[in-house]
Amino acid sequence: MINFNDPRQVAKAIQFTNVNADLTRDELLKHLDLCLQYQFDAAMIAPCWVALAKDVLKGSGVRVATTVNFPQANDTTAMKVALVRELAREGADEFDFPPNPGFLLSGMEDRYFDELKQVTAAAHDAGMKVKAMLEFGFITTEALKIKATQYAYEAGIDWVKQSSGWGKGGCAATVEDVRILKNNIQAPCRVKVSGKVNTLEKMQAMFEAGAELVGTSSGPELVKGLAGDIAGY
């Protein structure tokens, strides 16, 4: 686990996130400037800004991360795969995507697993890392949460994540959900967490449970050990 007394290690475990629909170009540039200043692991931004972010962050060591079919999760698998390929052309280093929880809730486990496999294969073919946002706010039983995690792991996903931080059911990260993720994967698959991780104390609790990366809009506040915006991502 990282040393939470070392601001540099804390920063390198954060993907600083702003995927708001109304984000302006100037606001994006300020976001990227903070990523450079703090040397976060990645700037997590919307797909439309990937090419610009790649140019701004070139050579800095800060990666460009983005999303596929966020937050709805219900585009067709072919649409998700096509977007993966487009993001690779735009220069994304990695992306987070939600496999369709409606498939799992419908008992359509083959479709759910196939989507995970297809999106993962497209990402790896393009040289990108991929994270599955399993949207535990929709998948409310522990048995289905375990199943979702296992399917993601078996599909070859690089990272599992309990939620996008948005959506139904309350999206705040919990220690219990992080443990479900950690207990149902093996290396090299790892755990990312998102959803109201807006204080250093919360981040540390998630990491003690097994997380190794956090997506948050409170990146600078976490590095400084301050409380973030409790309404934030």
Side-chain angles (χ1 to χ4, degrees), residues 5-205:
N5 293 315
D6 185 341
R8 292 168 298 182
Q9 290 190 36
V10 172
K12 279 300 179 186
I14 291 172
Q15 298 202 321
F16 187 34
T17 303
N18 192 331
V19 290
N20 292 332
D22 61 349
L23 183 72
T24 67
R25 186 180 188 276
D26 284 347
E27 289 169 340
L28 173 78
L29 292 174
K30 290 177 183 177
H31 183 82
L32 298 177
D33 185 61
L34 285 170
C35 289
L36 291 169
Q37 179 183 335
Y38 284 91
Q39 283 293 294
F40 292 124
D41 174 77
M44 172 60 73
I45 54 166
C48 64
W49 299 117
V50 164
L52 176 57
K54 190 71 173 181
D55 184 57
V56 171
L57 298 175
K58 184 177 180 180
S60 69
V62 178
R63 294 183 291 173
V64 176
T66 190
T67 62
V68 165
N69 195 202
F70 164 82
Q72 292 86 359
N74 53 11
D75 282 352
T76 69
T77 300
M79 290 166 70
K80 293 180 182 181
V81 168
L83 183 52
V84 170
R85 292 170 179 157
E86 172 63 17
L87 290 173
R89 288 189 288 270
E90 291 285 297
D93 296 306
E94 59 186 65
F95 65 91
D96 295 20
F97 94 102
N100 190 333
F103 289 161
L104 193 61
L105 292 167
S106 299
M108 299 164 60
E109 296 182 12
D110 288 347
R111 287 283 299 276
Y112 188 81
F113 186 45
D114 182 65
E115 180 169 280
L116 280 158
K117 288 193 296 183
Q118 286 197 48
V119 173
T120 300
H124 290 170
D125 286 347
M128 290 191 291
K129 298 288 187 181
V130 54
K131 308 184 210 73
M133 303 186 286
L134 299 178
E135 302 298 28
F136 282 179
F138 294 95
I139 301 171
T140 54
T141 70
E142 183 173 341
L144 280 181
K145 290 177 180 181
I146 290 170
K147 226 174 231 189
T149 307
Q150 291 173 340
Y151 279 137
Y153 168 70
E154 291 168 11
I157 286 284
D158 299 293
W159 294 80
V160 288
K161 182 176 166 185
Q162 99 291 348
S163 171
S164 62
W166 295 59
K168 183 180 178 181
C171 301
T174 69
V175 165
E176 292 75 18
D177 282 343
V178 171
R179 286 176 179 154
I180 287 173
L181 296 174
K182 184 64 175 178
N183 291 340
N184 288 282
I185 62 168
Q186 296 181 35
C189 188
R190 302 162 75 183
V191 176
K192 180 182 175 183
V193 64
S194 289
K196 306 297 188 288
V197 185
N198 47 29
T199 68
L200 194 63
E201 291 75 19
K202 286 183 184 178
M203 182 178 173
Q204 186 165 0

